[in-house]
Every structure is written in C-alpha cells, then in structure tokens.
Amino acid sequence: MQPPEVIEQLLGAEEIEGKVRELAARITEDYRGKDPVLVGVLKGAFVMMADLSRCIDLPVEMDFIAVSSYGKETASSGVVRIVKDLDLDIEGRHVLLIEDIVDTGLTLNYLMNTLKTRNPASVEVCVLLNKPEARKVDMEVRYSGFEIPDRFVVGYGLDFAERFRHLPYIGILPDEVATGVEESWETE
Ligand code: PRP
C-alpha cells in the first residue's frame, strides 16, 4: 500500500530529527547522574522512543506500557485500561514517559497518576506533538516538541486504523478520510 497523496506534510523527517535531538539534549542535561527509566506508551511511541533514546547521552533503562483507549462511556473520566504493564519496578526511579502525541491529555494524565502510586522519585512527560486546543485535563508536559493544530495526524508512529505508522514524516489526514466519508487510497 502506498501512502495516499492526499496526506499533506506537516513536519518533515529532518525537522523532526532536529527537534528530537534538541529534546534529548535537554533531557541529558536535566537527568545527569539520575539514570532515568524511559517508558514508551505503545504503540504510537515506538518510533519516538527509538530515536530519542539513541540521542540521550545517559545510561537509561527502557520499558514499555500499553493501554487501551478509553471507551465512550469512560471518555470523560479518562480511565484507561493497562493492557501491558511495566516489567521494571519504578520505586525510587526517575521515570520519563515518552509519547508521540498529547491530545486530550487523558491518557498521559491517567498514566502519570497511576505510576505515581508506585512511589517513583519523579514522573515527567516527553511528547513529540502537543495539541493544546484539544486538551480536556490540565497537565504539565515538561518536554514538548511541536505544538500542532487540532487536526488528525499520521506518521512517525501515529496511525489511522493501524496504517501510516511507518511514514518518516508527520502528515495531516484530510477530515473526509479521517471521518471515513471517503476512502482515498488503494489497498492491495
Ligand atoms: C494515541 C497516542 C496517545 C493518545 C493521546 O494513542 O499515542 O497514547 O492517543 O490521546 P489523548 O491525549 O487524547 O489521551 P492511541 O489510543 O491512538 O493508540 P496507539 O498509540 O496504539 O496508536
């Protein structure tokens, strides 16, 4: 399957690489001597996690957590079900949650609160993309790459129905495709 031509590029691969290096430099400076645990939130964060971790000049440890999206009935409460929990014990550790995007903030807010009950030394968040307009809960995002408009974005780990995660750039999916009104690409 080819990426649809209808995807409009928002952020190019080089621009993303530059920003990831910038975030990694800040993290390296801030966490010197603390050996943080990087926690990638599956699936979307896998690309960001791979790129960011290789630019952080510290002896980091890595783990992953997977959550299921909140259903309609729990959307307002922001309750997220953990599908795959951490393997590492984070008590006393400096945890940095790595995400591709913070949208409503419900996922990261829930994860931060949940992980804090395990008595880590600290929990902070690092996201590549931030949609401030879409926020439903107030939450501090310590490391934020790009502020983007409230549009449906794909690529660099982000999907639409599991497609487009592999794109090396971030693109905007037209509203008519995102809402399923029009299927604008061909499948094999
Ligand atoms: C996306 C993204 C974040 C979450 C952000 O995950 O990776 O985890 O949504 O949205 P929020 O701020 O509104 O909670 P998604 O549920 O699409 O799963 P995926 O990572 O497996 O694609």
Side-chain angles (χ1 to χ4, degrees):
M1 184 181 68
Q2 296 301 311
E5 288 171 7
V6 292
I7 290 181
E8 173 199 342
Q9 186 168 308
L10 179 67
L11 298 164
E14 282 183 17
E15 204 176 346
I16 296 170
E17 187 189 334
K19 187 61 77 175
V20 169
R21 285 187 186 281
E22 201 181 299
L23 291 170
R26 283 177 56 199
I27 291 166
T28 301
E29 197 56 39
D30 294 352
Y31 285 85
R32 204 171 289 287
K34 290 183 175 165
D35 303 354
V37 179
L38 306 182
V39 173
V41 185
L42 295 171
K43 299 177 190 173
F46 80 99
V47 181
M48 172 72 168
M49 184 78 161
D51 285 350
L52 184 79
S53 63
R54 285 179 293 174
C55 296
I56 296 175
D57 190 16
L58 294 172
V60 296
E61 286 172 48
M62 281 189 263
D63 205 345
F64 292 90
I65 195 162
V67 296
S68 72
S69 301
Y70 29 82
K72 276 190 188 124
E73 68 285 357
T74 52
S76 52
S77 65
V79 173
V80 173
R81 193 165 58 89
I82 294 177
V83 176
K84 182 232 169 278
D85 208 335
L86 299 178
D87 296 325
L88 297 174
D89 178 2
I90 57 167
E91 185 168 357
R93 303 297 307 271
H94 292 280
V95 175
L96 188 53
L97 275 163
I98 312 295
E99 264 286 28
D100 47 354
I101 190 167
V102 56
D103 199 321
T104 63
L106 291 171
T107 305
L108 276 175
N109 189 54
Y110 176 84
L111 282 175
M112 278 188 99
N113 290 335
T114 301
L115 295 187
K116 278 179 186 167
T117 65
R118 302 180 188 182
N119 301 317
S122 66
V123 185
E124 297 292 349
V125 167
C126 175
V127 301
L128 181 68
L129 307 176
N130 191 352
K131 276 188 193 172
E133 287 170 50
R135 200 74 92 252
K136 287 187 179 164
V137 281
D138 253 351
M139 57 166 304
E140 195 202 337
V141 180
R142 171 72 64 88
Y143 305 97
S144 171
F146 299 97
E147 286 201 358
I148 61 165
D150 192 10
R151 301 290 305 278
F152 199 102
V153 285
V154 294
Y156 200 77
L158 290 144
D159 74 311
F160 172 64
E162 295 303 328
R163 292 171 180 170
F164 313 125
R165 291 193 197 273
H166 65 294
L167 299 181
Y169 56 90
I170 303 279
I172 296 177
L173 201 64
D175 290 339
E176 60 272 21
V177 178
T179 54
V181 174
E182 188 182 306
E183 190 152 326
S184 303
W185 65 89
E186 299 201 347
T187 48
E188 288 171 355

